[in-house]
Amino acid sequence: METELEQIRAEAFAEIGQAQDEAAVEAVRVKFLGKTGRISLLSEKMRDVPKEDKARVGKLLNEIRAALTSAIDGRKSALEAERDTRALAGVDVTLPGTPVAVGALHPITQLQHRAIEIFRRMGFALADGPDIEDEFHCFDALNTPADHPARNEQDTFYFSDGRLLRTHTSTVQIRTMEKCAPPVRIIAPGAAYRRDEVDATHLAQFKQMEGLYVDEGVSVADLKGTIEFFFRELLGKETRVRFRPHFFPFTEPSFEIDLKAPALGADKWLEMAGCGMVDPAVFEAVNKSRGDAAFDPEKFTGFAFGFGLDRLAMVLHAVPDIRLLVENDVRFLGQFK
Ligand code: DAH
């Protein structure tokens, strides 16, 4: 038995040395150390070894098993290392890697996120509506009569079935009030469309942010306080806000909002948004559409506002041409990381 063991040891070592890949080494392991491998078969014969030889032969058996195991493991790692070396031949792993350009949010998206965050703190929820609208939600319900210039075919994208691309996000005021009873406190950022000739200050698609607050006892003071807080949070404490009487069909009274702020550069008033107290005619139109009197104009008042996110972004970042915002030129966008 001892001779046999020595013979196995010699054979196994020779085979391990010859194994040229990991599969071959594994085959040697199975052949000698596997369940029905030669070492295992020999250990079964241990019971026939005379008593006085048992300790010596057993020790030899264990020694050979351990030696084979470590030789096999060693050969496996040597082959693995060889494979790695071959794969890395000619590669200098100490060279710095190729940098991967990291993207960032579009400046308008960044501005929109900041605006949402500020209004959220004042309890405004996000609302949404479709870009493809009907005339009712875009005009009629907003007290905008059939002969209003905004409804002109030259100014608006109409589909052949009479639907249109919304010309402002004020549609979301109507969509929201149709679904929710007062109190309502929402903002609605989104795209608006107009048939404008594209130039340095006009795009056919642009971004607006709408706001609406309806409850009992909402006043112009609430409107002014909300708008002033928003723009001071967004543009800095030194920001001055001016409300200039104006006209919008869906608010009465209506105002244009002018801003003067160091963040906006020039030391002059810049027209930035429209706002006003919701016209009772809008509540009436909503009630009619809902088929109830949830927005009773005798009980509820509200304010609304809307501003262009593109225009605000342009003034804030001194962008000279609105088209830069949609051309996706990374030389431009890379400045807003
Ligand atoms: N919808 C108007 C526009 O696109 C902006 C606006 C003005 C929205 C007054 C309002 C508002 O909610 O009260 O020019």
Side-chain angles (χ1 to χ4, degrees):
M1 178 131 172
E2 285 175 279
T3 354
E4 205 175 335
L5 271 171
E6 288 301 351
Q7 209 177 322
I8 289 180
R9 183 192 332 232
E11 260 178 61
F13 270 97
E15 286 185 32
I16 292 168
Q18 277 158 18
Q20 283 314 315
D21 57 34
E22 286 156 81
V25 181
E26 177 60 14
V28 177
R29 192 191 64 76
V30 172
K31 178 171 170 189
F32 291 95
L33 298 172
K35 235 189 233 149
T36 53
R38 292 178 59 189
I39 294 282
S40 317
L41 294 179
L42 265 193
S43 22
E44 274 168 32
K45 284 199 200 147
M46 271 301 286
R47 59 180 112 82
D48 307 330
V49 174
K51 215 172 173 188
E52 61 277 19
D53 296 338
K54 257 199 171 97
R56 207 183 60 251
V57 178
K59 194 168 163 245
L60 182 63
L61 185 83
N62 284 338
E63 191 189 301
I64 291 179
R65 189 188 283 122
L68 286 190
T69 306
S70 90
I72 284 169
D73 289 349
R75 183 73 184 138
K76 270 192 187 168
S77 9
L79 285 169
E80 248 171 63
E82 260 175 50
R83 197 172 33 140
D84 289 351
T85 316
R86 247 178 285 128
L88 287 175
V91 177
D92 182 352
V93 293
T94 63
L95 283 176
T98 315
V100 178
V102 179
L105 293 175
H106 190 278
I108 294 198
T109 309
Q110 293 183 25
L111 183 61
Q112 182 175 316
H113 285 185
R114 285 176 56 204
I116 291 171
E117 185 268 323
I118 296 166
F119 280 116
R120 275 240 167 98
R121 275 194 270 145
M122 289 190 277
F124 284 79
L126 268 180
D128 202 1
D131 288 26
I132 298 176
E133 264 295 1
D134 50 43
E135 290 193 287
F136 174 75
H137 291 92
C138 201
F139 302 126
D140 298 287
L142 286 160
N143 199 32
T144 305
D147 58 359
H148 194 281
R151 299 181 70 146
N152 194 307
E153 277 189 34
Q154 260 63 57
D155 295 331
T156 305
F157 294 104
Y158 281 94
F159 293 89
S160 48
D161 63 2
R163 288 185 303 163
L164 49 91
L165 292 178
R166 66 179 181 195
T167 57
H168 51 182
T169 47
S170 302
T171 54
V172 186
Q173 293 186 34
I174 308 302
R175 293 264 168 207
T176 305
M177 287 190 281
E178 283 177 331
K179 285 187 304 221
C180 312
V184 166
R185 187 155 43 178
I186 54 113
I187 45 166
Y193 306 81
R194 285 183 204 168
R195 262 176 88 157
D196 279 330
E197 202 70 54
V198 172
D199 61 23
T201 52
H202 295 87
L203 290 174
Q205 191 221 51
F206 51 99
K207 279 283 196 83
Q208 288 192 328
M209 184 168 235
E210 191 78 15
L212 174 70
Y213 179 23
V214 181
D215 202 348
E216 284 182 61
V218 176
S219 69
V220 174
D222 297 310
L223 166 60
K224 290 187 75 175
T226 304
I227 294 291
E228 281 175 7
F229 177 81
F230 168 68
F231 281 115
R232 290 202 178 119
E233 283 294 292
L234 188 74
L235 303 173
K237 278 198 275 299
E238 310 83 1
T239 305
R240 289 168 63 201
V241 185
R242 181 171 77 179
F243 293 81
R244 191 161 34 82
H246 195 72
F247 173 79
F248 295 106
F250 37 91
T251 44
E252 179 59 35
S254 306
F255 308 94
E256 291 239 83
I257 301 167
D258 301 334
L259 301 178
K260 211 192 243 189
L264 299 180
D267 185 28
K268 58 175 188 206
W269 290 105
L270 297 168
E271 186 186 309
M272 276 300 166
C275 68
M277 300 304 291
V278 179
D279 193 306
V282 173
F283 289 146
E284 301 285 11
V286 166
N287 285 337
K288 210 160 151 199
S289 169
R290 293 171 56 103
D292 64 16
F295 287 84
D296 179 356
E298 297 297 323
K299 192 170 165 199
F300 295 104
T301 49
F303 67 70
F305 58 87
F307 58 90
L309 284 166
D310 320 60
R311 177 158 156 67
L312 190 54
M314 281 177 75
V315 181
L316 195 57
H317 301 299
V319 177
D321 190 321
I322 196 170
R323 289 167 290 198
L324 285 163
L325 293 170
V326 291
E327 280 167 353
N328 279 346
D329 186 330
V330 288
R331 289 170 303 178
F332 171 73
L333 295 175
Q335 300 172 64
F336 299 96
K337 281 189 185 173

